[in-house]
Amino acid sequence: MAAAGACLFPPVFSPARRRRTEASAAAGSNQNPRLSSSSARRFAVSTEHVSSAAATATTFPSSRPVGFGENGRSPEKHGGTASDQSSSSPFMEDVELESGRERLRRFFDEAKDLTRPDGGPPRWFSPLECGSRLEKSPLLLYLPGLDGTGAGLTSQYKKLGKVFDIWCLHIPVMDRTSFLDLVRMVERTIKAETDRSPNRPIYLVGESLGGCLALAVAARNPDTDLLLILANPATSFDKSQIQPLLPLLELMPEQLQLSYPFILSLMAGDPWRTFNASTEKGLPPQQTVGELSKDLLTMPSYISVLADILPKETLLWKLQMLKSASAYTNSRIHAVKAQTLLLTSGKDQLLPSLAEGARLEDALQRCDLRKFDDCGHFLFLEDGFDLVTIIKCLSFYRRGKSLNYVSDYLPPTPAEYKKPCESNRWFDEITGPVMLSTLEDGRIVRGLDGIPSEGPVLYVGYHMLLGLELVPMVIRFLNQRNILLRGIAHPMLFEKYRKGQTLEPAFYDTFRLMGAAPVSGTNLFKLLSSKSHVLLYPGGMREALHRKGEEYKLFWPEQSEFVRMAVRFGAKIVPFGTVGEDDFGEVFFDYDDQMKIPYFRDQIRQMTEEFAKVRTNATGEVANQDVHLPWVRPKIPGRFYYYFGKPIETAGRKQELKDREKSHELYLEVKSEVEQCMAYLREKRENDPYRSIFSRLMYRATHGSTSEIPTFEL
């Protein structure tokens, strides 16, 4: 990712300028932003004395004058709501990820400028080259690690800056502010911003030392709306291999400091992983080796910058601060109520982060943990690490007091969509999906030409065993029609991941990234009101986890749940059927079988109690939403078939369908259409010469790997 640079102190913080700043802060007054000519790197800066809540603001030039207003806050940049996307694309604007070596270079470029001594206190700065933000973007306060420069998020600026108002904490090299005073400084900023925008959440992003700082602030302010993102927090410093070496570092002469090469090796990461990343991008071996050689030549220059960032006295001060910060934070960890996202590295050589992550996950009240097994301590500098994507995958982004799954949803970028699309390509190839749709004149055509372009549209259909139909359908709607289907999903997909679950967190993350929302009348209302394309399965979990011999049987509620909502917004209803699960597997150990065995029965009851229940007031088979996993005997793969019926118009029928009987008639009509779609497909597929995977492989072998495989005659 591209990132803004930083030429911060020399032009503005001259001795004369600094004296004026300090005098103004002591008087408790705010100066108006001023422009000053500088280098090409641009930041807005807010300087705050730790002993005073007063602040002054200064601005560095950009391509346009942008600065801080009152309380050091940059003016809001309006870019629409989270759901405001171009009508021609369902994706967010893409931002190219930088390589690990480019991230390291940018970090040291900015750190070099940021560490010029000026004698000032800790302060906030805001990168001005982050792009246009969404309206009412939440505030993100970055709390740095051991380096204290505040440049650790450099590689994430451009993408984070589209959805956050970013402030970074800078602690000057020679500053000796205590950990507790840093906590108080962050608290003052949070209080001022909360008073200014009471409904706007504040994100604290801390790594290492900054993680301790974020936890301490959250523990002391349990009633403030905070969200924490912690990358390898230093709460385990007492177990670190560094702590026993502190006496040795104190005795070691400045000229023999061996800590800088060690720290640099941690920042550079695993060279073998860097090599693999280059080869995966398709770079020739000669170019890859050449770039690695170039990296080796630039390392000595980085060591000199590290020596400026962390001279011996500062390094010892920071390590002692880590010790006190860890002890202070751990003594108050029980008081943290803030929602927390914990990111830990598997190859952290500075801290035992994996073990500490497991401990914190149990200790914190509302915590989600994500592990990065191949990454080192400096997670934000790692090749391929994308903080915004992680936030999207966990539905961790909100702009108000509570999460709104519609207005707070951030669609994937093309690069984010590409990853799950490519990882599921094998399944798409095996299933060989056939998509049929119905035009306005009633003709059935291959492809999705009969699908309405403009929303709101409600797709109502049959849920195949284990939801196998979802992946090919979502991919083709995006690839062929630029339509992002917003699925109404079971709440279990949005619950905190628990140890022992059958599926890994990444499985649930993909659903959230692609726009799934928990099933509720409120979410359906919001989606239709925003003119979305909504995917709904009235049979829900009961259909997807059906028993033996129940293929293609609908388990819909007796009441017409969705019709009135669709009518209210004039949504088109598209009934559809899916067929093919019986060509891929057969249930041989179902719910009824499992309930007869005490071990499985207890497991089913436990999982059902843990996850949020739906349709608690429903009657009949659809009310049986017990969480279990049927055992399936695989078959030689056949083919998936989809048939989307003619869209049913509800616009202009509000008065007519106010009558409950008329509304129920439409509900039964939709249900009947779904059954007819499946009956049509089951009959027609018998005449498909390419129903078998072997015949499809032969066709591709003779006609090319990208050729469209024929099917039955329409």
Side-chain angles (χ1 to χ4, degrees):
M1 296 181 196
C7 182
L8 206 65
F9 303 122
V12 175
F13 290 98
S14 64
R17 172 64 181 167
R18 188 161 61 248
R19 284 195 295 273
R20 289 196 298 271
T21 299
E22 293 169 355
S24 299
S29 62
N30 288 329
Q31 296 181 356
N32 290 328
R34 293 177 55 187
L35 291 177
S36 171
S37 59
S38 176
S39 70
R41 295 185 176 139
R42 301 137 188 138
F43 280 85
V45 187
S46 173
T47 305
E48 179 188 345
H49 281 280
V50 175
S51 60
S52 172
T56 61
T58 311
T59 326
F60 286 77
S62 119
S63 55
R64 59 187 184 282
V66 182
F68 275 26
E70 296 179 7
N71 199 38
R73 181 183 183 279
S74 60
E76 193 73 55
K77 294 178 238 178
H78 298 284
T81 64
S83 57
D84 285 343
Q85 300 297 319
S86 168
S87 59
S88 61
S89 174
F91 299 110
M92 285 188 71
E93 181 184 353
D94 217 343
V95 176
E96 184 178 357
L97 285 173
E98 294 174 339
S99 66
R101 63 173 61 91
E102 181 65 17
R103 294 180 181 204
L104 195 63
R105 184 191 67 78
R106 283 186 175 273
F107 170 82
F108 279 107
D109 282 350
E110 295 195 2
K112 186 175 181 179
D113 288 331
L114 285 163
T115 52
R116 297 181 186 180
D118 67 353
R123 69 207 64 181
W124 298 105
F125 68 85
S126 180
L128 295 181
E129 298 179 20
C130 289
S132 180
R133 292 193 301 272
L134 298 176
E135 185 180 356
K136 298 179 181 178
S137 295
L139 177 63
L140 185 151
L141 302 180
Y142 170 63
L143 310 176
L146 193 66
D147 62 283
T149 61
L153 273 186
T154 300
S155 61
Q156 313 287 325
Y157 282 160
K158 198 165 186 180
K159 200 167 180 181
L160 280 172
K162 293 182 179 298
V163 292
F164 287 104
D165 182 4
I166 304 174
W167 297 14
C168 302
L169 178 62
H170 172 72
I171 305 172
V173 174
M174 304 311 296
D175 181 76
R176 295 298 181 261
T177 302
S178 69
F179 177 75
L180 189 55
D181 281 336
L182 288 175
V183 171
R184 291 170 180 148
M185 175 189 173
V186 177
E187 282 181 330
R188 284 194 295 273
T189 301
I190 287 172
K191 184 180 184 304
E193 287 303 307
T194 300
D195 290 343
R196 181 185 182 93
S197 303
N199 296 320
R200 184 170 78 150
I202 297 176
Y203 285 70
L204 300 182
V205 178
E207 60 174 337
S208 189
L209 173 63
C212 291
L213 187 54
L215 285 168
V217 170
R220 289 162 55 104
N221 299 270
D223 297 326
T224 304
D225 188 12
L226 300 175
L227 293 94
L228 312 184
I229 301 177
L230 312 177
N232 299 320
T235 47
S236 62
F237 184 71
D238 59 330
K239 304 180 186 68
S240 170
Q241 59 183 346
I242 298 294
Q243 188 174 1
L245 300 178
L246 284 177
L248 180 62
L249 290 173
E250 292 176 358
L251 297 174
M252 188 177 294
E254 187 95 32
Q255 297 84 352
L256 296 178
Q257 282 292 320
L258 303 178
S259 54
Y260 302 133
F262 173 67
I263 295 173
L264 183 59
S265 69
L266 298 181
M267 299 178 73
D270 184 356
W272 182 248
R273 185 167 180 263
T274 303
F275 179 82
N276 287 337
S278 298
T279 55
E280 286 175 4
K281 293 175 183 176
L283 297 179
Q286 298 88 341
Q287 183 178 347
T288 301
V289 172
E291 290 184 356
L292 290 174
S293 302
K294 186 179 178 182
D295 291 344
L296 291 175
L297 294 175
T298 57
M299 287 299 173
S301 64
Y302 294 161
I303 290 179
S304 66
V305 179
L306 263 181
D308 292 336
I309 296 173
L310 294 170
K312 179 181 175 181
E313 297 81 4
T314 300
L315 178 60
L316 290 172
W317 167 264
K318 292 286 180 69
L319 290 174
Q320 291 294 343
M321 184 189 288
L322 275 178
K323 186 176 180 180
S324 62
S326 176
Y328 182 91
T329 303
N330 282 319
S331 67
R332 289 161 176 78
I333 203 80
H334 62 278
V336 177
K337 296 181 180 178
Q339 186 179 356
T340 304
L341 172 55
L342 190 58
L343 311 173
T344 60
S345 299
K347 295 184 178 179
D348 189 343
Q349 299 179 45
L350 188 63
L351 298 168
S353 292
L354 279 184
E356 183 65 4
R359 184 186 76 87
L360 289 176
E361 185 183 21
D362 292 335
L364 295 171
Q365 301 174 28
R366 303 165 61 199
C367 179
D368 276 295
L369 174 65
R370 288 296 180 271
K371 303 174 185 177
F372 301 87
D373 295 331
D374 296 327
C375 293
H377 180 73
F378 294 89
L379 200 52
F380 298 143
L381 297 178
E382 288 283 344
D383 199 336
F385 183 86
D386 188 341
L387 185 55
V388 172
T389 300
I390 295 167
I391 289 171
K392 290 180 182 181
C393 287
L394 279 98
S395 299
F396 204 72
Y397 182 81
R398 60 180 170 90
R399 295 179 293 164
K401 285 290 185 182
S402 59
L403 175 62
N404 185 319
Y405 282 95
V406 179
S407 62
D408 287 333
Y409 172 63
L410 301 174
T413 64
E416 289 167 342
Y417 164 66
K418 184 179 179 181
K419 187 174 181 180
C421 183
E422 289 186 344
S423 65
N424 286 288
R425 189 179 300 277
W426 65 272
F427 185 72
D428 194 74
E429 291 293 332
I430 289 174
T431 56
V434 175
M435 298 277 173
L436 307 178
S437 60
T438 309
L439 302 178
E440 290 185 2
D441 60 7
R443 284 187 300 121
I444 301 173
V445 295
R446 186 170 183 183
L448 298 175
D449 290 343
I451 298 298
S453 299
E454 301 297 326
V457 182
L458 185 63
Y459 302 86
V460 184
Y462 168 69
H463 213 355
M464 248 190 220
L465 179 65
L466 304 178
L468 295 174
E469 80 285 354
L470 281 169
V471 171
M473 181 165 62
V474 170
I475 288 175
R476 272 161 177 72
F477 266 74
L478 272 167
N479 291 348
Q480 297 181 15
R481 295 298 309 273
N482 264 344
I483 292 174
L484 177 63
L485 292 177
R486 299 292 308 273
I488 298 291
H490 194 281
M492 67 179 293
L493 296 179
F494 304 87
E495 297 282 345
K496 175 184 173 182
Y497 177 78
R498 293 175 175 85
K499 296 176 184 176
Q501 286 182 209
T502 305
L503 300 170
E504 290 299 312
F507 174 82
Y508 302 96
D509 292 352
T510 302
F511 279 91
R512 291 187 284 255
L513 176 66
M514 298 307 295
V519 58
S520 73
T522 301
N523 284 334
L524 181 58
F525 177 94
K526 291 176 180 178
L527 286 167
L528 292 177
S529 65
S530 65
K531 297 185 178 181
S532 300
H533 288 249
V534 185
L535 179 60
L536 178 67
Y537 293 105
M541 185 179 289
R542 180 61 183 85
E543 272 179 13
L545 305 179
H546 63 67
R547 321 297 189 243
K548 289 179 285 188
E550 291 181 345
E551 299 87 357
Y552 311 123
K553 182 178 180 181
L554 299 184
F555 292 93
W556 286 22
E558 296 180 2
Q559 302 300 321
S560 50
E561 295 180 328
F562 58 83
V563 170
R564 290 194 172 191
M565 193 77 77
V567 171
R568 178 168 185 167
F569 296 101
K572 298 180 179 69
I573 300 175
V574 179
F576 71 93
T578 56
V579 166
E581 65 172 82
D582 53 343
D583 274 352
F584 283 79
E586 178 184 7
V587 176
F588 71 93
F589 189 56
D590 63 11
Y591 172 81
D592 296 331
D593 297 325
Q594 294 177 29
M595 289 298 287
K596 295 174 184 177
I597 301 173
Y599 170 78
F600 291 107
R601 182 171 62 243
D602 293 342
Q603 195 176 49
I604 290 171
R605 288 174 177 172
Q606 181 182 354
M607 288 191 296
T608 304
E609 289 173 2
E610 284 180 355
F611 295 114
K613 295 183 179 180
V614 296
R615 288 175 171 156
T616 53
N617 298 323
T619 59
E621 271 299 310
V622 74
N624 186 347
Q625 298 281 335
D626 287 358
V627 181
H628 70 289
L629 191 65
W631 294 19
V632 181
R633 182 185 297 112
K635 296 180 179 181
I636 296 174
R639 198 172 194 182
F640 278 1
Y641 302 87
Y642 301 75
Y643 175 24
F644 295 88
K646 185 177 179 180
I648 300 173
E649 296 281 353
T650 64
R653 302 178 63 184
K654 187 177 293 186
Q655 291 298 323
E656 171 196 352
L657 294 173
K658 274 186 177 180
D659 183 270
R660 287 186 178 273
E661 290 187 4
K662 293 287 186 182
S663 176
H664 192 64
E665 286 177 9
L666 179 56
Y667 176 75
L668 295 178
E669 178 187 344
V670 174
K671 184 178 181 181
S672 175
E673 285 288 329
V674 172
E675 291 173 330
Q676 290 178 36
C677 287
M678 288 192 291
Y680 175 86
L681 291 174
R682 294 178 71 182
E683 178 185 350
K684 283 289 189 178
R685 70 173 175 173
E686 298 296 331
N687 300 319
D688 185 359
Y690 300 100
R691 180 176 173 181
S692 167
I693 188 173
F694 299 117
S695 58
R696 295 199 299 275
L697 290 173
M698 288 294 295
Y699 185 89
R700 282 281 171 86
T702 55
H703 292 78
S705 59
T706 59
S707 58
E708 184 180 53
I709 300 173
T711 185
F712 51 77
E713 292 185 7
L714 300 178

